[in-house]
């Protein structure tokens, strides 16, 4: 037989659980958990989940705010993803931000591949393509100028495929069923590297390729602090 205190605790716990369940519909919970787990939802990949985010946008935003996260929803592009809040996002400047998503520096090799993909994506978008495809051969060809920076005489296909695989895991590249060496560039790449950042980094790489590598490396590293803390895994 439970004591009065134990019964009171069970009652409060059941009441809180009931309130949570009532305030968050199942469809919203599913979308929220997916965002927390994978970081991003694309309408082209999971139409129902994306629609749930759209319908429950206010509720999901509120829950994310409680975790110092914010929802970014681009209905036109069909993208929903989460970002770490900054101090500017806080109503009270004295509030301390607890970071769940930390930015991480990319290696030179990884950042160069990211810029190749972003630049190609930008070029194809200008031509009016909504879905941008790229094959491994084109990636390999575009990486050749990087040889001057890595002091290598040939493309290390194993290394390149390994980095491409990491980009697939992060869903910056999306597998195309039945085509091992062909990929879709995920539209989330637009938010990882915006156009201004892309242009600035390309200028830095041109300096690296044509000038003093050691002199320009520091500038490039400072510019390449891209928001890769959340390894977007599209659901």
């Amino acid at each position: 037989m439970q004591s009065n205190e134990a019964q009171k605790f069970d009652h409060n716990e059941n009441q809180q659980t009931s309130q949570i369940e009532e305030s968050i519909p199942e469809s919203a919970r599913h979308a929220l958990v997916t965002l927390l787990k994978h970081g991003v939802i694309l309408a082209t990949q999971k139409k129902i989940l994306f629609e749930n985010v759209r319908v429950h946008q206010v509720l999901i935003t509120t829950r994310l705010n409680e975790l110092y996260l914010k929802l970014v929803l681009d209905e036109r592009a069909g993208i929903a993803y989460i970002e770490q809040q900054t101090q500017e996002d806080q109503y009270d400047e004295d509030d301390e931000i607890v970071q769940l998503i930390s930015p991480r520096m990319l290696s030179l090799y990884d950042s160069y591949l990211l810029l190749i993909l972003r630049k190609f994506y930008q070029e194809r978008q200008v031509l009016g393509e909504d879905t941008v495809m790229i094959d491994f051969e084109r990636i390999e060809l575009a990486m050749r100028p990087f040889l001057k920076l890595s002091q290598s005489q040939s493309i290390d296909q194993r290394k390149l495929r390994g980095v491409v695989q990491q980009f697939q895991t992060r869903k910056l590249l999306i597998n195309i069923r039945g085509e091992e060496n062909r990929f879709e560039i995920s539209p989330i790449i637009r938010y990882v590297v915006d156009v201004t950042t892309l242009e600035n980094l390309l200028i830095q790489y041109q300096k690296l390729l044509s000038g003093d590598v050691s002199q320009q490396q520091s500038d490039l590293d400072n510019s390449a602090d891209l928001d890769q803390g959340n390894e977007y895994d599209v659901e």
Side-chain angles (χ1 to χ4, degrees):
M1 184 175 180
Q2 288 184 318
S3 65
N4 289 337
E5 287 297 325
Q7 289 177 354
K8 183 178 179 181
F9 176 82
D10 288 344
H11 173 73
N12 290 338
E13 184 179 33
N14 292 336
Q15 187 178 39
Q16 291 174 11
T17 301
S18 176
Q19 289 174 348
I20 292 173
E21 290 178 349
E22 289 176 3
S23 61
I24 307 180
E26 183 177 355
S27 57
R29 289 203 304 272
H30 189 188
L32 178 59
V33 169
T34 300
L35 284 169
L36 289 171
K37 183 178 180 181
H38 301 289
V40 61
I41 297 173
L42 299 181
T44 56
Q45 301 291 310
K46 293 291 181 179
K47 184 177 181 180
I48 294 177
L49 270 179
F50 182 82
E51 180 64 15
N52 289 341
V53 174
R54 192 191 67 78
V55 171
H56 301 293
Q57 180 180 357
V58 174
L59 178 57
I60 291 174
T61 297
T62 300
R63 292 295 184 240
L64 289 173
N65 285 342
E66 293 170 357
L67 300 175
Y68 301 103
L69 299 172
K70 60 182 179 181
L71 173 68
V72 179
L73 178 63
D74 187 337
E75 294 188 44
R76 186 172 180 275
I79 300 172
Y81 70 99
I82 58 175
E83 284 186 339
Q84 179 67 57
Q85 286 186 0
T86 63
Q87 199 67 48
E88 289 74 18
D89 296 317
Q90 295 300 301
Y91 295 108
D92 188 347
E93 294 183 357
D94 295 329
D95 285 351
E96 180 182 357
I97 298 294
V98 179
Q99 288 198 344
L100 293 179
I101 303 174
S102 301
R104 99 181 29 143
M105 290 292 293
L106 294 173
S107 71
L108 187 60
Y109 198 97
D110 287 11
S111 61
Y112 194 67
L113 177 56
L114 181 62
L115 290 183
I116 287 171
L117 297 176
R118 182 63 179 92
K119 182 174 183 292
F120 186 76
Y121 186 91
Q122 178 74 9
E123 291 169 349
R124 305 315 294 181
Q125 271 209 319
V126 170
L127 294 176
E129 295 184 15
D130 294 326
T131 302
V132 180
M133 305 292 186
I134 193 169
D135 55 40
F136 185 83
E137 184 179 357
R138 183 181 290 271
I139 294 174
E140 184 180 15
L141 183 64
M143 287 291 288
R144 293 194 181 281
F146 179 72
L147 298 178
K148 297 179 182 179
L149 305 182
S150 63
Q151 298 180 342
S152 174
Q153 297 302 314
S154 63
I155 285 284
D156 185 342
Q157 281 208 359
R158 180 179 297 180
K159 180 176 182 179
L160 180 56
R161 287 191 180 277
V163 176
V164 167
Q165 180 64 49
Q166 291 175 14
F167 276 48
Q168 290 176 260
T169 300
R170 295 172 179 173
K171 297 303 183 185
L172 291 168
L173 288 171
I174 301 173
N175 292 328
I176 298 177
R177 185 172 300 177
E179 298 191 52
E180 181 180 356
N181 291 318
R182 189 168 170 80
F183 316 96
E184 176 188 346
I185 301 177
S186 171
I188 194 67
I189 202 167
R190 294 188 305 170
Y191 299 92
V192 176
V193 184
D194 61 31
V195 174
T196 301
T197 302
L198 173 65
E199 292 174 351
N200 290 337
L201 289 176
L202 286 174
I203 290 172
Q204 293 297 334
Y205 273 109
Q206 288 302 320
K207 291 179 180 179
L208 281 172
L209 289 170
S210 60
D212 183 355
V213 172
S214 60
Q215 178 68 30
Q216 300 297 334
Q217 181 65 56
S218 176
D219 293 338
L220 177 62
D221 287 342
N222 291 335
S223 301
D225 186 10
L226 304 174
D227 185 10
Q228 286 293 292
N230 200 30
E231 296 183 355
Y232 295 116
D233 187 4
V234 175
E235 182 66 23

